[in-house]
Amino acid sequence: MAEEKEKINYGEIGLRAGLEVHQQLATHKLFCSCPSLVRQDEPHFKVVRELRPLAGELGAIDPAAIFERKKKKHYVYEGYNDSTCLVELDEEPPHEINPEALKTALIVAKLLHCEFPDVLQVMRKTVIDGSNTSGFQRTLLIGLNGYLETSFGKVGIQTVVLEEDAARRIAEDSMSVTFRLDRLGIPLIEIATAPDCKSPEQVKEVAEKLGALLRATGKAARGIGTIRQDLNISIKGHPRIELKGVQELPHMTKVVELEVKRQLDAIKHKEKLEPHVRAILPDLSSKYLRPMPGSARLYPETDIPLIFLDKKELEGLELPKMPEEIKKELSELGLSKDLVEQMASSPKLPMFFEFVKTYKNLNPNLIATTILVIPKEVKRKLQLPEFELDENILDRLFIGLSGGDKLVPAIVKEAIPEIAEAIAKEKPKSLEELYKIMARYKVLSDAELKKEIAKLRKEYSGPEEKFLGFAIGKLRGKADPQKIMALLKQN
Amino acid sequence: MAINKFEVGERIVVKIKDKSYEGVVMPSPLKAKDYLIIKLNSGYNLGIKLSPEVRIEKIGMATKPKAQEIKPPINPKLPKISIIATGGTITSKVEYTTGAVEPLINPEELLLATPELLDVVNISQILSPFSIFSEDMTWVEWQKIAELVAKELNKKDISGVLVTHGTDTLHYTSAALSFMLKNLGKPVALVGGQRSSDRGSFDGAQNLICAGHYLKSNLAEVAIVMHATTNDDFCYAIRGTNVRKMHTSRRDTFRPINELPLAKISPSGEFEILNKNYKSRSEGEVLADTKFEPNVALLKYFPGASPDILNFFVEKKYKGIIIEATGLGHVSTNPKQPRNWLGAIKKAIDEGLFIGFVPQCIYGRLDPYVYSTGRILLDAGVTYLGSMLAETALVKLGWVLGHTKKLEEAKSMMLTNIAGELIDKISPNSFLY
C-alpha cells in the first residue's frame, strides 16, 4: 500500500485534522506539594482498592449489575513514602492549585490568543478505569476560542485545559491492574485545536509550533513520555477518527498520510464507517482500539475554591519569547550560528542576556563562549562527569575581562580556558581563592609588558619577522596580543 | 441584575462584546454572587462577571433527571434489618448537573450506590428521622435515634439495626446508644463514609456491606463498622464506647482505643472475632433509656490554663465536667503557681458539680497514686475514670446525671461498667491498633 506513489490532493478530499497535545509541567504536582517525579526504583508500599460504578447510573437494582461488580478487577496502587502523599492515595482532599502551573497555563492560553473566563472552576471528570484513585480526574478550563498562526493560515484553538496526569499503568493480570502513583497528579496542559489543518504538513507545523510554545514557558517537562499527541482526522465521507499516541514529530506527516489512505480505502470498499479511536503501531499504521467515548461526565470539584481571574494581572502576565524571536536576537548580537542554536535551548539563556546587559564592553560572543563552550571543553579535557561555571564565577571573570577592579585581577580572554581549568582542578571555596587563581593570569601592566618583551628579545635568536608570533605565544594569557603588536611597532 | 431573570438549569447564550458562550445556568456560590456560572456543552463550568455589557438570551430548559423509585427486592432466605439514615456524607449525593451536595431525598437511593447490601440482608425499611451533619447532632438526636433503634429491634423479625451517620461525631453517637439501649440483645451497627458516593472510590459501600454481615452475627453490641485499613479489603467492628475518629480524612479513621476490635469482617462475609469480650444475642425487650442532662462539658487542661475556665462552668450552673488531664491524671495544684486549679476544683465540687478526669493521652489508664499531684486531686474529690475515652466519659456523664443528681450516686455509676467503657485489662497489642 505504501508503495503507491499517487499524490493525494488533500484539498479535494476535504481533509480536516486537529491535534490534542498533552504536556507535563516540570513543577510540583497540581494539587499537592509532591515532586513530579516518575521513578524506576522499588515502590515503598502497595494499596489495594476497588472502584465502583457511580450511584444513580445503574437505574433499577439489577442482579446482573451486582454480578458484574463482583467479577470486577481490583486496582493495586504502588507509591513512595518520600514522593507521594495522602492526596494521591485519595485519603486527603486536594490542596490549593499549584500557582506556578496555573500561571504557566495562563501564559500558554495567552500566547494562543485565547479568551479567558472571569471565574475558573476545577471540575471532576469521571474516570473509573483505575488510573485515578478517586474515580475522577481534576481538570480546569483555562482559556478558549484562541488561534495559532501557521504558514498555511490560522488554526483555531478550542481549549487550553490544565489537568492532573493519571497514574502510570505498570501491570495487569486476570484479577488486578497495577498502577504507580508517581505520575498521578503531575500538571498537564492540554491544548485542543480545531480540525482546521488541511494537509499533513500543516499538522506537523502545528505540532512543532505548539511544542516550541510550551517549551518557551521554561516549565515544560522534558524526556520520554512528557509530551503526548493525539490526532483527529476525517475526510469527506468518513467520520472522525482519533489517533492515540503519536510519539515523534518527524512521523507526524506519515501518520496523517497513512490514515487518510486508510479512510479512502474504507470508503472505496464500502466498509461500515463509524467514528472510533485507533492506536498507532510502530510501523506508523494503526489498529482499532475502542469506540469513540461518550462525553465524560464533568461536575464541580467542590473541595477547591473558585479561581477569580484578575484581568489586570492577566494583562500584566509577562510572555516568554518564542524560539524564533530568541534566535533572531542572538544572531543580531553576533553569535555564531552554532552558538545561537546552543544558547537558544540552554537553561542559561536568561543569565546570558543579563550578562550582555551588564557588560556592554564585552563581545556577546565572548560571553556566550565563556558560559557554554569553555566549561564543556574543560569537562572533556579533564574527563569530569560534570563541570559548570556558576553565575558568581562568571561575573568575576567578566569583571576581570573588563579590566578588573580593586579586588578582581584584570585578565585577558586568552587566559579564560586555563583559568577555567584551574577552577575545575582547585575548586575554589571562596571568592578570595578564586581571585588568587585569577591573579596568576593577571594581565601585565604596560611597564611589565615592556620589560617582558625586552627579556624575550634577549632569548630570541630567530628571524625578526617571526618575533611577534614568538612573543605572543610566550605571553599568551598575560597580555592582549593587540597590545604586544602595538608595542613592537612603536620600537 | 440579569441573573435574577434566569433560573438554575436554564439553557442560555451569554454575549459579551464579540464573545458568545452557550451553556446551562449553574447555581452561583456565595462568594461569586456577582458572577454568572454556566456549564458549557463541553461539560466545563466557567464564570462571567455580570456587567451592563453582558447580554443573556434564554434558549431552553435543561432536562431534569427523573427521581427513581426504588423498591428493594426481597430474598426470603436472608435476615431482615432496618436502616436509620441520619445524614452525613454516606447519605448525600452530588447533583451532577449543578455540583451541589445534597442529602438523599429517598433514603432508598442508598441502595443505588450499594446494591450488594441486598445480597447480604433484606431491608425491612429505611427510616429517616432527620438529615443533618455530624456536627449538628445533640443529645436530642441521640435520644431520637435510640428510641427508633429500640423500636425496630423489638420487632421479632429484625436481626439488627444499621444507623448511617456523618463520621465527625459518630463515636459520640455510638457511645450514647451504648448507654441508652438497655438490655440490648441484638447487634446495632453505625456506619459512615469518608468519600462521597459521587465518586468511584466511595468507601461507604464496603462499610455498609460489612455492617450487613455484622447485623447477622451473634454480637449484641453497638459497634462502628468501617474500613480497617486504607485498602478496600475488610472492616473492623469496634465497640461503641472504645472507638475514636483518629484521622481527619483517611478511610480507616476509626480506631479501637485500649482494646481490640470486636471483629474483622470482609465484604464477602468472612467474619473473625478478634475480641472475645462481647455480649451474645439474647431474647427480651430492648429499652430506650434516654434521660440526659445536657449541662455537661468537656475541658482540656493545658500548660498555663486558667482555672477561670472551670469557674465559668460553675457560674453557668453546669452539673458536671470531664477534664482531659495530663499524663497519669494531673492539672497544676502547686500553690506557688498563680494558675493552679486546686481551688477551682474544690469549689466546683463544693457547689455539687461532678468533676471527672480522663487521659488526654487518649491511650492508657489514669493513676492518681504515682505522683503527689494525683493524690491531692483525688483527696479534693476528683473522680478518676481509668482508661475511659474523653468523648465516652462526657456522654456517659450526661446520661448518668440524667438519672441522678446525687453526686455520690453519680460517682458510683460513673465507675460502674455499663457498656464496656471501663477496661480491666489493656492488651499490649491494642496500642495504635
Side-chain angles (χ1 to χ4, degrees):
Chain A
M1 184 173 88
E3 302 306 313
E4 285 178 57
K5 272 283 173 194
E6 43 180 310
K7 264 241 178 240
I8 297 172
N9 183 335
Y10 290 101
E12 211 162 87
I13 61 164
L15 172 64
R16 299 184 67 194
L19 286 102
E20 202 175 285
V21 176
H22 294 90
Q23 170 72 60
Q24 280 183 2
L25 297 184
T27 66
H28 68 76
K29 289 191 175 178
L30 192 53
F31 293 111
C32 68
S33 52
C34 286
S36 294
L37 187 63
V38 173
R39 294 168 67 161
Q40 303 309 326
D41 54 334
E42 271 303 299
H44 299 154
F45 62 81
K46 284 181 184 183
V47 167
V48 182
R49 293 276 173 75
E50 277 167 20
L51 286 178
R52 310 174 54 76
L54 298 178
E57 267 188 345
L58 288 166
I61 296 157
D62 173 6
I66 297 177
F67 177 75
E68 272 305 309
R69 287 182 178 205
K70 279 186 180 159
K71 64 171 202 186
K72 253 191 65 170
K73 289 187 179 188
H74 58 261
Y75 303 111
V76 179
Y77 297 104
E78 301 176 337
Y80 298 93
N81 288 319
D82 52 349
S83 64
T84 51
C85 72
L86 291 185
V87 174
E88 289 99 324
L89 273 171
D90 187 45
E91 285 286 32
E92 185 177 306
H95 302 184
E96 266 187 63
I97 194 161
N98 173 349
E100 201 183 358
L102 177 61
K103 188 179 165 191
T104 307
L106 288 169
I107 287 172
V108 167
K110 203 173 162 183
L111 286 169
L112 291 169
H113 315 282
C114 283
E115 296 167 5
F116 290 99
D118 299 307
V119 182
L120 309 179
Q121 184 163 37
V122 180
M123 307 295 287
R124 295 173 173 176
K125 187 191 271 180
T126 300
V127 176
I128 52 166
D129 66 357
S131 61
N132 288 70
T133 47
S134 55
F136 52 73
Q137 176 191 31
R138 297 187 183 93
T139 175
L140 174 67
L141 176 66
I142 297 282
L144 64 174
N145 304 336
Y147 65 87
L148 177 74
E149 213 66 82
T150 76
S151 54
F152 303 89
K154 271 185 194 175
V155 169
I157 300 295
Q158 292 173 337
T159 53
V160 173
V161 160
L162 179 60
E163 59 191 19
E164 15 175 43
D165 206 344
R168 201 152 57 91
R169 187 182 278 259
I170 301 287
E172 177 162 9
D173 59 32
S174 59
M175 298 293 291
S176 67
V177 189
T178 300
F179 291 96
R180 201 163 294 178
L181 297 174
D182 50 5
R183 203 180 71 182
L184 179 63
I186 293 180
L188 273 185
I189 291 183
E190 182 208 84
I191 303 171
T193 79
D196 291 347
C197 292
K198 293 178 182 69
S199 69
E201 289 71 29
Q202 192 176 15
V203 173
K204 189 177 170 216
E205 187 183 325
V206 170
E208 279 169 351
K209 286 215 154 138
L210 290 179
L213 185 141
L214 286 160
R215 282 192 300 277
T217 63
K219 300 291 179 207
R222 304 204 178 183
I224 300 161
T226 55
I227 186 161
R228 304 196 283 272
Q229 283 131 342
D230 302 335
L231 290 173
N232 57 75
I233 295 172
S234 68
I235 58 175
K236 245 183 262 166
H238 197 290
R240 194 166 69 93
I241 294 298
E242 200 174 303
L243 288 168
K244 282 262 171 225
V246 191
Q247 288 296 334
E248 294 182 48
L249 278 184
H251 298 150
M252 196 65 90
T253 40
K254 187 84 195 159
V255 168
V256 181
E257 282 166 21
L258 288 177
E259 173 58 21
V260 167
K261 280 190 184 142
R262 198 196 60 76
Q263 292 189 9
L264 285 170
D265 274 358
I267 294 171
K268 195 154 92 189
H269 295 115
K270 304 210 160 122
E271 284 170 26
K272 202 173 157 217
L273 304 176
E274 267 173 358
H276 63 267
V277 182
R278 303 182 69 82
I280 292 171
L281 301 172
D283 70 350
L284 306 183
S285 68
S286 62
K287 67 162 187 196
Y288 181 92
L289 192 63
R290 55 171 180 258
M292 203 68 96
S295 56
R297 176 147 68 186
L298 269 80
Y299 63 101
E301 167 55 275
T302 40
D303 296 344
I304 299 168
L306 294 174
I307 298 163
F308 292 83
L309 285 186
D310 183 335
K311 283 281 142 90
K312 273 206 189 114
E313 241 169 74
L314 264 181
E315 275 160 28
L317 218 47
E318 205 177 308
L319 297 182
K321 285 179 194 148
M322 289 295 101
E324 303 95 87
E325 261 178 275
I326 292 168
K327 285 180 191 170
K328 199 175 146 217
E329 214 168 309
L330 292 172
S331 295
E332 282 165 7
L333 282 170
L335 263 56
S336 68
K337 214 177 158 202
D338 196 32
L339 264 179
V340 167
E341 290 301 321
Q342 279 187 53
M343 188 56 85
S345 63
S346 167
K348 299 196 162 155
L349 181 73
M351 189 164 93
F352 167 75
F353 280 120
E354 275 306 304
F355 280 132
V356 169
K357 225 194 285 172
T358 316
Y359 299 99
K360 293 201 174 72
N361 54 312
L362 297 179
N363 183 339
N365 233 324
L366 171 62
I367 294 177
T369 307
T370 310
I371 294 175
L372 285 184
V373 183
I374 301 280
K376 240 184 245 171
E377 282 173 357
V378 170
K379 200 174 111 180
R380 195 177 315 132
K381 188 171 170 198
L382 302 182
Q383 296 186 339
L384 300 172
E386 270 319 312
F387 179 64
E388 302 266 345
L389 290 170
D390 72 32
E391 204 172 340
N392 276 317
I393 292 178
L394 286 166
D395 190 50
R396 291 342 187 262
L397 293 179
F398 296 141
I399 294 174
L401 287 171
S402 310
D405 60 19
K406 271 185 194 162
L407 290 168
V408 187
I411 53 172
V412 289
K413 64 173 190 288
E414 288 74 12
I416 294 284
E418 284 175 53
I419 295 176
E421 207 177 310
I423 289 169
K425 284 179 186 158
E426 296 168 39
K427 302 187 181 77
K429 284 184 191 65
S430 63
L431 287 174
E432 284 66 36
E433 288 180 30
L434 173 69
Y435 300 153
K436 272 182 199 157
I437 294 172
M438 288 172 74
R440 301 207 296 265
Y441 301 90
K442 191 174 182 229
V443 70
L444 297 172
S445 69
D446 288 3
E448 283 166 334
L449 188 56
K450 276 182 193 161
K451 231 188 248 171
E452 286 294 318
I453 290 174
K455 229 196 263 173
L456 288 173
R457 273 238 180 261
K458 279 180 196 161
E459 283 171 31
Y460 185 73
S461 53
E464 179 56 30
E465 67 271 21
K466 290 205 173 153
F467 179 69
L468 174 63
F470 171 76
I472 290 174
K474 279 283 177 188
L475 295 169
R476 183 172 184 81
K478 294 194 169 183
D480 184 349
Q482 299 288 339
K483 204 166 214 175
I484 299 173
M485 212 188 313
L487 277 175
L488 287 180
K489 262 186 197 161
Q490 274 176 31
N491 293 346
Chain B
M1 278 242 190
I3 179 73
N4 299 330
K5 288 188 243 156
F6 296 91
E7 274 175 43
V8 170
E10 278 178 349
R11 183 164 281 278
I12 58 168
V13 174
V14 186
K15 288 182 178 154
I16 319 142
K17 293 180 189 166
D18 54 338
K19 296 180 223 167
S20 158
Y21 307 103
E22 183 186 324
V24 173
V25 180
M26 295 286 108
S28 290
L30 278 180
K31 273 182 104 175
K33 272 282 167 252
D34 307 334
Y35 293 82
L36 173 65
I37 309 267
I38 62 168
K39 186 181 203 62
L40 302 176
N41 295 337
S42 63
Y44 283 99
N45 287 11
L46 58 77
I48 294 153
K49 194 166 180 24
L50 290 170
S51 72
E53 285 176 336
V54 178
R55 298 266 173 278
I56 302 169
E57 262 172 51
K58 182 178 161 179
I59 55 171
M61 278 305 291
T63 45
K64 265 203 173 160
K66 260 193 284 175
Q68 285 157 333
E69 201 177 312
I70 299 130
K71 280 212 178 100
I74 300 291
N75 179 346
K77 286 183 206 148
L78 296 174
K80 232 190 233 182
I81 64 159
S82 290
I83 298 179
I84 298 171
T86 70
T89 301
I90 191 158
T91 48
S92 345
K93 63 166 181 183
V94 166
E95 174 51 68
Y96 286 104
T97 39
T98 61
V101 181
E102 292 166 353
L104 300 178
I105 304 163
N106 299 318
E108 282 76 14
E109 287 177 77
L110 190 67
L111 297 172
L112 281 183
T114 318
E116 300 98 313
L117 184 57
L118 297 169
D119 261 6
V120 181
V121 285
N122 278 318
I123 314 292
S124 159
Q125 59 177 333
I126 302 181
L127 301 161
S128 185
F130 44 79
S131 183
I132 59 175
F133 290 137
S134 202
E135 64 271 24
D136 294 328
M137 291 274 172
T138 69
W139 70 95
V140 178
E141 284 74 25
W142 298 340
Q143 290 167 327
K144 181 79 195 162
I145 298 169
E147 278 153 19
L148 279 178
V149 171
K151 193 177 153 206
E152 291 304 303
L153 286 179
N154 286 331
K155 292 177 182 165
K156 268 264 169 317
D157 59 342
I158 291 294
S159 174
V161 173
L162 196 158
V163 180
T164 63
H165 192 294
T167 56
D168 284 5
T169 67
L170 186 55
H171 50 304
Y172 289 86
T173 302
S174 70
L177 295 185
S178 301
F179 298 118
M180 289 175 174
L181 294 172
K182 235 176 182 169
N183 193 28
L184 183 66
K186 291 175 180 177
V188 176
L190 290 104
V191 170
Q194 288 281 81
R195 301 285 93 79
S196 51
S197 66
D198 61 282
R199 38 172 119 199
S201 62
F202 175 49
D203 63 323
Q206 180 187 308
N207 300 342
L208 286 168
I209 296 160
C210 292
H213 291 298
Y214 177 74
L215 296 178
K216 297 203 290 195
S217 78
N218 188 34
L219 278 71
E221 296 275 356
V222 174
I224 289 179
V225 182
M226 285 192 53
H227 268 65
T229 73
T230 187
N231 301 302
D232 290 326
D233 47 7
F234 55 89
C235 287
Y236 284 146
I238 310 173
R239 193 193 311 278
T241 48
N242 296 319
V243 58
R244 199 170 185 280
K245 189 174 189 182
M246 295 296 277
H247 198 280
T248 56
S249 56
R250 283 177 65 126
R251 291 160 170 72
D252 49 352
T253 175
F254 283 97
R255 311 312 302 172
I257 308 293
N258 293 326
E259 68 169 345
L260 297 190
L262 295 169
K264 175 180 168 178
I265 309 166
S266 79
S268 58
E270 290 155 76
F271 197 100
E272 187 188 341
I273 298 285
L274 299 179
N275 186 341
K276 292 199 177 110
N277 177 22
Y278 65 87
K279 263 181 16 190
S280 298
R281 273 182 192 273
S282 60
E283 296 290 320
E285 198 163 330
V286 189
L287 187 73
D289 178 6
T290 64
K291 285 188 288 256
F292 197 88
E293 166 55 59
N295 286 318
V296 289
L298 174 58
L299 300 186
K300 188 185 194 114
Y301 177 80
F302 52 89
S306 165
D308 290 349
I309 298 168
L310 184 56
N311 293 336
F312 170 83
F313 288 97
V314 177
E315 277 165 33
K316 290 281 173 192
K317 307 283 183 219
Y318 269 60
K319 302 293 184 286
I321 308 289
I322 300 294
I323 296 174
E324 285 189 19
T326 64
L328 289 165
H330 310 129
V331 297
S332 174
T333 57
N334 184 344
K336 287 182 187 155
Q337 289 292 353
R339 289 194 162 190
N340 90 73
W341 280 46
L342 192 57
I345 284 176
K346 279 183 176 161
K347 190 178 151 220
I349 293 170
D350 280 349
E351 297 272 333
L353 273 79
F354 174 90
I355 303 291
F357 274 20
V358 292
Q360 65 173 245
C361 294
I362 299 173
Y363 282 96
R365 184 194 303 288
L366 297 185
D367 191 326
Y369 301 110
V370 178
Y371 294 99
S372 57
T373 305
R375 293 192 289 270
I376 290 167
L377 288 161
L378 194 65
D379 288 345
V382 168
T383 305
Y384 277 76
L385 294 170
S387 63
M388 208 187 294
L389 275 175
E391 296 81 3
T392 300
L394 176 78
V395 173
K396 185 177 180 185
L397 182 59
W399 182 78
V400 163
L401 292 175
H403 290 76
T404 178
K405 293 287 185 265
K406 289 182 194 138
L407 195 52
E408 279 313 306
E409 202 179 336
K411 215 165 173 169
S412 140
M413 281 174 81
M414 285 301 287
L415 292 172
T416 304
N417 185 33
I418 291 169
E421 75 281 12
L422 286 171
I423 296 172
D424 274 340
K425 176 191 175 297
I426 296 181
S427 340
N429 59 344
S430 63
F431 183 46
L432 302 178
Y433 196 87

